[in-house]
Each structure stands twice: as structure tokens, then as C-alpha cells.
Amino acid sequence: ASAQIGVTGLAVMGRNLARNFARNGYTVAVHNRTAAKTRALVEEFGDEGAFVAAESAREFVDALERPRRLVIMVKAGDPTDAVIEEFAPLLEPGDVIIDGGNAHFADTRRREQSLREQGIHFVGTGVSGGEEGALNGPSIMPGGSAESYASLGPMLERIAAKAPDGSPCVAHIGPDGAGHFVKMVHNGIEYADMQLIGEAYQLLRDVGGYEPAEIAEVFRTWNTGRLDSYLIEITAEVLSHVDAATGKPFVDVVQDRAEQKGTGRWTVQIALDLGVPVSGIAEAVFARSLSGHAELRAASRDLPGPAPARLDPEAAKAFADKVEQALYASKIVSYTQGFHEIAGGAAEYDWDIDQGEVAAIWRAGCIIRAAFLDRIRSAYDADPALPSLLSDPGFAKEITEAQPDWRDVISTAVTQGVPTPGFSAALAYYDALRAERLPAALTQGQRDFFGAHTYRRIDREGSFHTLWSGDRSEVEG
Ligand code: NBP
């Protein structure tokens, strides 16, 4: 046994992760259900480091140093269970299985519990950064036992992305499913970021009258400021790309139906279960599903409404600055909601998650990497019990300054008929939080009226019911 780590599942992610370990000096055992992929990896990249090719599960397990560290990088869902069932009987107490796929955290909790009974550490690990990240440094979010992290952590730190201050983008998130939960929320935030960028693009195009290549320049400028992020950077690349076949902007020849693999949807489903309002993320998921309803959209195309009136170039320039404010303010709200969900998950499942650390390990390697995350990290470092990002004095100040433009952009969108569900949901969340009174009091009255669900009063303890169909006197509920 000579390999310090093994990777089974050698599609794009597993292959690149195995190469990343090898390039960092580790001897890596590699295995894949279809053995041809294992051989291909060693043939193509064998000179990058030390690989031990294993054809069978037994060979793979025997190639690993004890305690064994075995990374599973297969399609999430049933394949993961199949692989665990294949390997678990070959392992011994103290060995560590790392699942780097996009598992649902509830599956991870189930697998962790069952393997723990056999003395095997199961480390459900979020890995973000796609193919490129897996090879050159992903952001890594491991869950599982603290004990497993003691032996695994240093290896993950070597292969992880490095933040601008040099620190590795990996941290032990918490027990059992905590790592996959945080990865799920990362993806939900990613959906929201992408939706907000999409809305900014559509406003610049329809109201600002800019062409895609010009909008790319606007995004490039934004990318030198507080919006500096990977997603803004690639947005500029996509918008400036010209389709070779037609000579048209690439964005104009792609069908406008956004697909999804499910992690954004999970973020919203779980938020509903936890009772955490993630309205911005939900709007982003719904916007993708709406875009895919081709027949509904075709049937609705003739519905009346305003057509955007294009601004003159001077006004368009001023409008673009306002859109930047709206995008930034809405982004603060999305992250506020995402971090609230992490806090909600931590409370529900008894995970002690360091929110500042989560922000820190998202600073590089992952899809939502951004200069902004350093600010979030500082906010939580300054006050680990921060009730909301909006309570941080720095973010509160920025949102105060952005507010007139944020409102103005949404008003323009509404009067000109440009859909901005993300911007609007973010502002509605903000306004609801700061409201002195919400119509929830009326909701409680209605619930008591039709269902005797009772209500609480502002001036007395206890629950009460009004005899709505009687003399309307109040009784204790
Ligand atoms: P895929 O998700 O396409 O999975 C392909 C791999 O799963 C192949 O190695 C395949 O083996 C193996 N596999 C399947 Br399918 N069923 C199996 C079974 N019953 N037993 C054993 N092996 C089985 O690969 P990927 O895109 O590299 O993603 C791997 C994981 O990483 C996924 O969970 C994904 O969600 C996650 N992830 C992907 C990205 C990304 O950008 N692609 C980013 C972050 C996380 P075979 O070669 O024999 O068919």
C-alpha cells in the first residue's frame, strides 16, 4: 500500500481532482467503474505525478495507506450509494470515505450515520469550481467528524484554491451533512447572483439601448470595483463573444431557456422547510423554470404592456451607474438570505458553523468567488453573532447609499415592463425587514376568523380568539 489518497469516479471532476493531488506530490490510487478511463488517465497524465491504477475495488483498497482515504467522485444519487456498498465491506474502522459529489445533505447525513456504525468516517464534501477548479484548486467544504478532518485537512489544504491572502479555501464546516448543506447554499447564491446579473444585462439592453459588446464593457468596468467577481468577469466574456456561424452576438443565437441540475431548487426547498425567507434565491430558481415554459411564453407574447423606451446615450450612461447600485444592493440581500439559511440549518441540525469561515473559503476557487466575500468575512469576524449581514455597519451604509438608485431602477423596470424579479424581491425583503408593522397582524386576524387559529396581542401575554360569528367578544385561546 503506497497511495496516500484514492479517487474513484474518473469523469471530468474525479480525473482533475486526482491530477491535482498528484501534482501536489501525493501518490494517488485511481479507479473507475469502466477501467478504460483509469488507463486513459494514467496514459495521458502519468507524468504529472505518482498514480497507482487499480482495475478492481479490491486492488484500489489495497493500494491505499491506512487509515485509507478514498474520494468518491461519481454521479450523485444512487451511483454514490452503489459505490459505497461496493467499498464499505472492504474497509476497516478508522478509514475515511470522502464523497465529493453534489449529494443532498440529507443523503449525506444518512450515509454518515450508517458508516459511523461500522467505524468508518464519511466526509460529505462540497467541491466547487467545476472542472477547472478541481484541477487547479477548488473551494472545498468538508463535513464529517473533526477526527477525520485532522488527517484529511492538510491534504485538502494543499490542493485547495488559495485566497488573495494565501490562505487555503477549505475548512471543516461541521459534522455529518454540514459540508454538503453549505455547498447547496453556495449554489443557491450562485443562482441568485446569475439572475441579478441577467436582470442588469436586460435593463442595460432594453432600457439603456446598449449592444451586448457595449454591455460587456460596462461589466468589465464594474469588475474593477466592488462587484469584482468571477461571474461578472465571465459575463463580460460571454457578452463580447460573437457567433462564428452568423456573425451575431453569441447571446442572441442561444435559446433563452435556462436549465438547472437541482441544487438551487434544493436550497429553496430546504429554506421552506426551515422557514427561512430566501426570496431572492427562489425568484432566481423560478426565473429559470419560467424561461423553460416555451408554450406558456408563446401563448402570452401578445399580452398588452409597455415596451421599453430606449434612453439617449447620455441618460443611458447615468442609468448604467444606477443599475450597478441596484445590482450591488440586491447582491447584499441575496447573501444575507443565503447566510441566514446556513444559520437556520446549523440551528436545526446542531452544527456549529463559523459563517465568517464560510465566506473566507468562498473567496477563491468557487463559482461565486468575489472580492465582496472578504467584506462578509470581516463582518462576521467583527461580530460572529451578527443577526444579519444587513446589520453590519459597512453593508448598512452601502445599502443606504444605493437605495435611491435601487428604487429608481426598479421603478423604471416596472413602468417600462422589464421583468426584474430578483431586484424586486431583494428590495421587498429589505423593506419588509425594516417595516415598523407588517400586514401579518391582518393575516392573523383572518386566520382567527376562518379557523379560530388564535392570535397574540401586543399589550398582553397569552393567545386570544375573537368570537367572530358571535358577539365578537374576545376570549383566551
Ligand atoms: P458525472 O456526474 O457525469 O458521473 C460520472 C461518473 O460516475 C463516472 O465515473 C461513472 O463511471 C460513474 N458512475 C455512474 Br454514472 N454510475 C456508477 C455506478 N453505479 N457505480 C460506479 N460508478 C458510477 O461526473 P462529473 O461531472 O465528473 O461529476 C462528479 C460529481 O461531482 C457529481 O456528483 C457532480 O454533481 C459533482 N460536481 C460536478 C461539477 C461539475 O462542474 N461537473 C462541479 C462540482 C461537483 P463510468 O465511467 O463507468 O460510467
Side-chain angles (χ1 to χ4, degrees):
S2 59
Q4 287 125 314
I5 191 128
V7 179
T8 182
L10 301 175
V12 285
M13 290 297 286
R15 188 160 99 137
N16 282 355
L17 213 55
R19 291 172 61 199
N20 189 348
F21 277 116
R23 286 173 172 193
N24 277 286
Y26 295 110
T27 300
V28 189
V30 284
H31 172 266
N32 192 65
R33 177 178 62 176
T34 312
K37 271 193 201 158
T38 314
R39 289 192 289 271
L41 166 60
V42 178
E43 262 164 42
E44 257 180 88
F45 305 108
D47 58 354
E48 289 186 356
F51 294 99
V52 181
E55 298 261 327
S56 70
R58 168 55 66 195
E59 258 181 65
F60 182 58
V61 167
D62 286 348
L64 295 170
E65 272 178 9
R66 297 236 31 230
R68 299 180 182 89
R69 287 174 288 257
L70 182 165
V71 180
I72 301 178
M73 214 61 200
V74 301
K75 202 172 163 68
D78 293 342
T80 307
D81 282 315
V83 173
I84 292 171
E85 272 167 40
E86 186 180 4
F87 285 101
L90 308 177
L91 299 178
E92 292 167 88
D95 289 348
V96 185
I97 296 180
I98 302 110
D99 174 21
N102 265 336
H104 191 292
F105 79 97
D107 287 335
T108 302
R109 281 167 61 77
R110 167 178 60 77
R111 291 167 184 149
E112 195 274 339
Q113 193 186 357
S114 117
L115 288 163
R116 197 187 329 138
E117 285 159 15
Q118 300 173 47
I120 296 169
H121 297 280
F122 184 72
V123 181
T125 303
V127 178
S128 178
E131 242 181 282
E132 213 267 336
L135 184 61
N136 297 314
S139 169
I140 313 178
M141 297 150 251
S145 65
E147 192 189 334
S148 62
Y149 192 77
S151 85
L152 192 62
M155 300 181 77
L156 297 181
E157 285 164 18
R158 286 271 280 279
I159 66 151
K162 304 297 178 289
D165 66 4
S167 50
C169 289
V170 55
H172 181 232
I173 304 289
D176 58 78
H180 274 139
F181 187 96
V182 164
K183 170 67 184 352
M184 173 189 78
V185 174
H186 163 283
N187 286 26
I189 291 175
E190 172 187 313
Y191 274 54
D193 262 343
M194 292 168 72
Q195 174 63 22
L196 296 173
I197 290 172
E199 291 175 19
Y201 154 73
Q202 191 162 11
L203 286 164
L204 292 174
R205 190 139 193 209
D206 293 353
V207 179
Y210 289 110
E211 291 304 318
E214 294 169 316
I215 302 174
E217 284 313 310
V218 172
F219 276 102
R220 283 199 180 102
T221 310
W222 290 354
N223 203 36
T224 61
R226 59 191 181 172
L227 282 168
D228 173 5
S229 63
Y230 172 70
L231 281 169
I232 295 279
E233 180 192 327
I234 67 164
T235 300
E237 293 300 311
V238 173
L239 286 173
S240 55
H241 184 57
V242 174
D243 175 51
T246 59
K248 289 183 179 167
F250 167 81
V251 76
D252 287 347
V253 299
V254 176
Q255 290 192 8
D256 60 345
R257 284 186 224 166
E259 295 177 8
Q260 50 184 316
K261 278 192 169 166
T263 40
R265 185 169 60 235
W266 291 347
T267 310
V268 179
Q269 286 170 336
I270 299 304
L272 289 170
D273 292 342
L274 293 170
V276 176
V278 294
S279 47
I281 299 170
E283 288 294 353
V285 176
F286 283 132
R288 288 200 194 186
S289 53
L290 186 149
S291 77
H293 281 281
E295 284 181 22
L296 179 63
R297 290 177 61 195
S300 311
R301 203 138 286 150
D302 292 333
L303 292 175
R310 303 255 155 114
L311 296 167
D312 63 62
E314 204 48 43
K317 220 161 159 285
F319 181 66
D321 291 341
K322 292 183 178 195
V323 173
E324 192 268 348
Q325 296 276 8
L327 176 55
Y328 187 69
S330 303
K331 184 178 168 86
I332 295 174
V333 169
S334 299
Y335 283 69
T336 300
Q337 295 182 346
F339 276 90
H340 187 190
E341 181 162 353
I342 292 174
E348 176 72 17
Y349 298 105
D350 212 11
W351 300 322
D352 184 16
I353 297 183
D354 180 338
Q355 305 255 50
E357 200 165 48
V358 170
I361 67 168
W362 286 348
R363 287 178 300 166
C366 63
I367 305 297
I368 65 170
R369 61 185 181 258
F372 178 70
L373 282 153
D374 217 19
R375 301 272 321 281
I376 298 183
R377 202 243 338 218
S378 308
Y380 280 114
D381 282 355
D383 180 4
L386 203 62
S388 146
L389 276 182
L390 295 171
S391 329
D392 170 70
F395 286 124
K397 180 167 177 283
E398 284 179 316
I399 228 163
T400 306
E401 286 163 6
Q403 221 175 122
D405 289 342
W406 191 16
R407 293 183 189 281
D408 199 24
V409 165
I410 293 171
S411 306
T412 302
V414 170
T415 50
Q416 305 219 11
V418 180
T420 51
F423 284 7
S424 305
L427 182 59
Y429 175 89
Y430 178 79
D431 281 335
L433 283 186
R434 55 180 211 92
E436 183 68 36
R437 296 275 295 158
L438 289 169
L442 175 59
T443 307
Q444 285 297 86
Q446 292 162 328
R447 294 178 71 248
D448 189 58
F449 191 106
F450 65 67
H453 292 305
T454 75
Y455 51 85
R456 291 180 181 278
R457 296 183 55 99
I458 58 169
D459 51 1
R460 265 182 286 145
E461 284 294 311
S463 59
F464 300 91
H465 168 55
T466 290
L467 301 171
W468 295 103
S469 48
D471 65 358
R472 304 209 165 176
S473 59
E474 187 174 74
V475 294
E476 301 245 345

